[in-house]
């Protein structure tokens, strides 16, 4: 390989990428709870969908469980960023659990919308993936009023009581384009379909998809760092391919990158899902440099400034103990791996 060939190889690094405000808040909540109360701290489901984050917190003393009944009575449990149903809150109360609710505020917003429309006796079409924790939590707010639709092809199965009282809501981590395709199909069937009061797909999901659409046409290869169960990470691969990337792959960490993917490649685009700490992206860049990609160029389409305060009861406990790293507004001060 000649020097000239090497110098032509470059990395296009997406910005924004990685941690969103909701993920940052949820991970911070578990870390602060461990600092304040000591291990073990139980966490229902994965706090966020990232293997590295879960493994790191487990080493510090977090115990991840699938169901509330697995938490010992009277113990302390953190609810994940994806949210839980009212039934889960009730189960926790019955077991006398001390709860810390790390649900992303943007997911909580969708829960409140579901409750409000159900009280007004609307049929609610929830666009999302059945079985995903976030969808389960939202569905649980109004199961008698909600139908889940996972794709445009599922629209024909929807049945409503009154076509003039139908509203759609969505999982926050979906592909914007596919969601709107589903909504357009729904509107063909139900012309009076109402939109949610505000956009349900979260700002971070949209921003990460936007920058991938910018990079993809220039990329011979797009690498998305994120775990297989991360909906927004999986969507980024699809967005990259749809936007013109010649190839796109999702990996959890640098050693999963295959050298054969780089054959004939001169430009590699890199991004990461909203639950991915930036240290994992930097590891991928380091590996690519070792494989002949010395140049790195940041492609920025947005600058994110949103932050969320820690859960109220944890914030109050930290204040009583004089602990934590919050400023006077109750907002966190991000650490070196908290890019948002």
């Amino acid at each position: 390989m000649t020097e000239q060939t090497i110098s032509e190889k470059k990395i296009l690094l997406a910005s924004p990428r990685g941690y969103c405000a909701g993920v940052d808040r949820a991970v911070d909540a578990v870390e602060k709870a461990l600092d304040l109360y000591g291990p073990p701290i139980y966490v229902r489901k994965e706090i966020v969908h990232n293997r590295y984050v879960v493994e790191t917190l487990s080493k510090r003393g977090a115990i991840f469980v699938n169901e509330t009944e697995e938490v010992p009575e009277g113990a302390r449990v953190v609810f994940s960023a994806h949210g839980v149903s009212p039934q889960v809150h009730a189960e926790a109360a019955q077991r006398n659990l001390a709860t810390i609710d790390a649900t992303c505020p943007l997911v909580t917003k969708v829960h409140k919308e579901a409750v409000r429309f159900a009280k007004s006796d609307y049929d609610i079409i929830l666009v999302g993936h059945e079985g995903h924790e976030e969808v389960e939590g939202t569905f649980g707010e109004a199961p008698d009023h909600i139908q889940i639709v996972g794709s445009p092809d599922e629209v024909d199965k929807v049945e409503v009581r009154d076509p003039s009282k139908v509203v759609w809501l969505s999982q926050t981590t979906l592909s914007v384009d596919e969601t709107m395709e589903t909504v357009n199909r729904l509107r063909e069937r139900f012309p009076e379909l109402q939109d949610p009061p505000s956009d349900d797909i979260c700002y971070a999901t949209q921003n990460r998809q936007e920058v991938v659409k910018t990079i993809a046409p220039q990329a011979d290869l797009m690498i998305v760092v994120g775990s297989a169960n991360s909906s927004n990470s999986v969507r980024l691969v699809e967005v990259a391919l749809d936007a013109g990337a010649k190839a796109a792959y999702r990996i959890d960490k640098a050693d999963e990158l295959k050298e054969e993917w780089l054959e004939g490649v001169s430009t590699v685009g890199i991004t990461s899902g909203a639950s991915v700490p930036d240290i994992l992206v930097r590891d991928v860049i380091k590996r690519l440099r070792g494989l002949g990609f010395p140049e790195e160029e940041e492609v920025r389409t947005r600058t994110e400034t949103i932050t969320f305060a820690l859960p109220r009861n944890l914030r109050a406990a930290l204040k009583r103990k004089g602990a934590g790293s919050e400023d006077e507004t109750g907002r966190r001060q991000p650490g070196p791996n908290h890019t948002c």
Side-chain angles (χ1 to χ4, degrees):
M1 186 178 292
T2 68
E3 274 189 28
Q4 184 177 6
T5 304
I6 291 176
S7 66
E8 291 173 352
K9 293 180 179 292
K10 66 179 178 180
I11 297 164
L12 297 179
L13 181 61
S15 186
R17 64 183 180 278
Y19 272 11
C20 64
V23 164
D24 202 9
R25 172 183 186 263
V27 174
D28 205 23
V30 178
E31 292 174 340
K32 291 290 194 297
L34 285 165
D35 290 341
L36 184 62
Y37 302 111
I41 295 292
Y42 290 85
V43 184
R44 186 184 183 276
K45 306 291 188 181
E46 293 187 354
I47 186 66
V48 296
H49 286 159
N50 183 265
R51 186 191 306 173
Y52 174 88
V53 172
V54 170
E55 290 175 352
T56 300
L57 291 173
S58 294
K59 290 174 183 176
R60 287 200 54 194
I63 298 176
F64 292 87
V65 298
N66 286 320
E67 301 299 338
T68 314
E69 64 187 18
E70 298 173 53
V71 182
E73 289 200 21
R76 183 166 276 102
V77 63
V78 179
F79 293 143
S80 80
H82 308 104
V84 297
S85 68
Q87 180 182 347
V88 172
H89 283 287
E91 291 170 355
Q94 289 171 1
R95 298 183 65 78
N96 196 31
L97 302 181
T99 62
I100 298 171
D101 189 354
T103 302
C104 173
L106 300 180
V107 174
T108 299
K109 177 182 74 71
V110 180
H111 282 221
K112 290 179 178 178
E113 290 171 351
V115 171
R116 181 160 68 83
F117 281 109
K119 284 182 178 178
S120 298
D121 203 28
Y122 274 74
D123 281 305
I124 302 167
I125 312 303
L126 177 58
V127 182
H129 299 130
E130 194 160 3
H132 190 281
E133 288 102 303
E134 182 185 328
V135 171
E136 289 178 350
T138 303
F139 180 82
E141 294 286 0
D144 295 335
H145 288 80
I146 294 178
Q147 298 175 65
I148 300 169
V149 173
S151 70
D153 296 335
E154 296 179 19
V155 168
D156 290 341
K157 74 177 183 180
V158 175
E159 295 183 5
V160 302
R161 295 164 298 155
D162 181 353
S164 69
K165 294 192 71 172
V166 186
V167 64
W168 70 273
L169 305 176
S170 82
Q171 182 180 335
T172 63
T173 55
L174 300 181
S175 159
V176 177
D177 295 336
E178 185 176 350
T179 299
M180 293 317 299
E181 184 181 347
T182 301
V183 171
N184 291 338
R185 288 278 294 273
L186 283 166
R187 206 177 301 282
E188 288 175 5
R189 287 201 59 199
F190 311 110
E192 296 179 68
L193 178 72
Q194 288 196 33
D195 296 324
S198 60
D199 202 340
D200 283 348
I201 297 178
C202 91
Y203 77 94
T205 297
Q206 296 186 58
N207 291 350
R208 280 147 191 72
Q209 291 177 15
E210 179 185 52
V211 68
V212 164
K213 289 178 182 179
T214 300
I215 291 175
Q218 309 170 60
D220 301 308
L221 171 66
M222 193 82 199
I223 297 297
V224 177
V225 184
S227 292
N229 61 340
S230 167
S231 176
N232 72 89
S233 297
V234 173
R235 300 288 84 72
L236 287 172
V237 175
E238 298 169 357
V239 169
L241 292 170
D242 289 343
K246 295 181 177 65
Y249 298 98
R250 180 204 55 78
I251 61 175
D252 256 300
K253 52 188 179 179
D255 62 11
E256 294 178 6
L257 192 154
K258 297 181 180 179
E259 291 188 37
E260 56 261 37
W261 295 346
L262 301 174
E263 293 178 6
V265 169
S266 60
T267 302
V268 179
I270 301 179
T271 190
S272 57
S275 51
V276 179
D278 213 43
I279 188 174
L280 298 182
V281 175
R282 288 297 162 189
D283 285 347
V284 173
I285 292 172
K286 182 178 179 181
R287 179 141 195 262
L288 282 170
R289 283 177 175 161
L291 293 170
F293 289 78
E295 295 187 28
E296 176 188 333
E297 176 186 336
E298 182 180 73
V299 178
R300 176 177 293 278
T301 53
R302 303 271 178 175
T303 298
E304 294 177 349
T305 58
I306 293 174
T307 60
F308 295 134
L310 287 166
R312 184 175 299 174
N313 59 345
L314 178 58
R315 202 161 70 240
L318 287 166
K319 187 175 181 180
R320 287 194 298 269
K321 293 284 187 177
S325 58
E326 297 175 340
D327 63 20
E328 292 177 356
T329 67
R331 298 180 186 276
R332 290 162 298 93
Q333 299 299 306
N337 291 329
H338 291 199
T339 59
C340 184

